[in-house]
Amino acid sequence: MGGGAHTNEGSAAMAAGTIRYWAAAKAAAGVAEEPYRAETLAEALDAARANHPGELAGVLRRCSFLIDGDPVGTRSHETVRLAEGGTVEVLPPFAGG
């Protein structure tokens, strides 16, 4: 009963969810997925860079992102809020033919 999925009373609380890495991002991170605790996509990605120093930072600059299935597109990562229990998909550019 009740329980708003997107309540914004005062300052937003940190959300806990999962980051899933695909292809080159998975190779650079060394894991397929890991938990996040962050308010925004920018915060989650900063934590991922800190947790996996090295190649991941460069890979993330080339990636696109889905938040709970919705593309981030060109929105600033600082403005993309993360929901409790959400999923961030990290999608590097894929070679096509």
Side-chain angles (χ1 to χ4, degrees):
M1 314 212 155
H6 293 284
T7 58
N8 282 335
E9 296 176 14
S11 62
M14 297 284 247
T18 302
I19 297 179
R20 291 189 185 141
Y21 300 102
W22 296 95
K26 179 179 172 181
V31 295
E33 64 180 50
E34 64 186 347
Y36 70 73
R37 265 198 90 59
E39 185 178 331
T40 65
L41 177 58
E43 290 173 5
L45 295 178
D46 285 347
R49 287 183 199 93
N51 291 338
H52 307 285
E55 186 182 343
L56 184 61
V59 172
L60 289 176
R61 283 193 291 274
R62 300 186 309 270
C63 289
S64 58
F65 304 94
L66 298 177
I67 307 298
D68 299 327
D70 294 325
V72 171
T74 59
R75 289 182 287 161
S76 169
H77 296 170
E78 290 81 9
T79 67
V80 178
R81 297 254 182 250
L82 301 178
E84 183 69 25
T87 302
V88 176
E89 306 277 352
V90 180
L91 306 169
F94 293 93

